[in-house]
């Protein structure tokens, strides 16, 4: 393979590898108790409260899964309410816009 083709491939791979890094995974929207890497991340261009313009944002889908399910009874409804309060306090913003993004996700 010619050197020029190798350089092109290297630049392409380097560019592809750097795309998620622009979302800053350290700032992934996730639960405060998470200590391990999120098993299911979703990257979306969004504009949430406090953002001046849309940006690529990482969301840990696993940490919001409880809030996406329909509660079967009052106990589950209360658990969802508490989880929503906890995440709202930790993220310093309402979680409803995040849930809307996750509901639209394929």
């Amino acid at each position: 393979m010619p050197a020029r083709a190798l350089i092109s491939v290297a630049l392409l791979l380097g560019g592809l590898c750097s795309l998620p890094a622009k979302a800053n995974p350290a700032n992934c929207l996730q639960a405060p108790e998470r200590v391990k890497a999120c098993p299911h991340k979703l990257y979306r261009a969004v504009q949430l409260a406090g953002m001046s313009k849309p940006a690529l944002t990482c969301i840990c889908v696993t940490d919001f899964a409880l809030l996406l399910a329909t509660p079967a009874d009052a106990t589950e409804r209360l658990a969802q309410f508490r989880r929503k309060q906890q995440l709202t306090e930790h993220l310093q913003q309402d979680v409803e816009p995040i849930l809307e993004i996750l509901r639209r996700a394929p």
Side-chain angles (χ1 to χ4, degrees):
M1 188 181 271
R4 189 175 200 173
L6 285 175
I7 291 172
S8 295
V9 170
L11 288 174
L12 177 64
L13 289 175
L16 290 175
C17 292
S18 68
L19 284 177
K22 291 180 182 175
N24 195 354
N27 292 333
C28 196
L29 300 175
Q30 60 188 20
E33 68 274 3
R34 177 160 297 287
V35 292
K36 294 184 178 180
C38 179
H40 184 187
K41 290 180 184 177
L42 179 70
Y43 291 90
R44 288 288 187 263
V46 298
Q47 184 172 359
L48 299 172
M51 297 173 80
S52 59
K53 61 182 181 177
L56 187 62
T57 304
C58 167
I59 302 171
C60 181
V61 178
T62 307
D63 294 347
F64 292 88
L66 175 68
L67 300 176
L68 296 172
T70 303
D73 56 23
T75 304
E76 285 184 15
R77 206 170 15 262
L78 181 60
Q80 277 188 344
F81 178 75
R82 287 182 177 158
R83 183 65 170 173
K84 192 180 243 188
Q85 283 183 320
Q86 177 190 34
L87 288 170
T88 298
E89 183 179 320
H90 172 70
L91 299 172
Q92 299 292 309
Q93 65 181 3
D94 184 26
V95 297
E96 200 54 45
I98 299 166
L99 296 176
E100 286 301 317
I101 293 165
L102 296 175
R103 287 183 188 111
R104 289 187 305 228

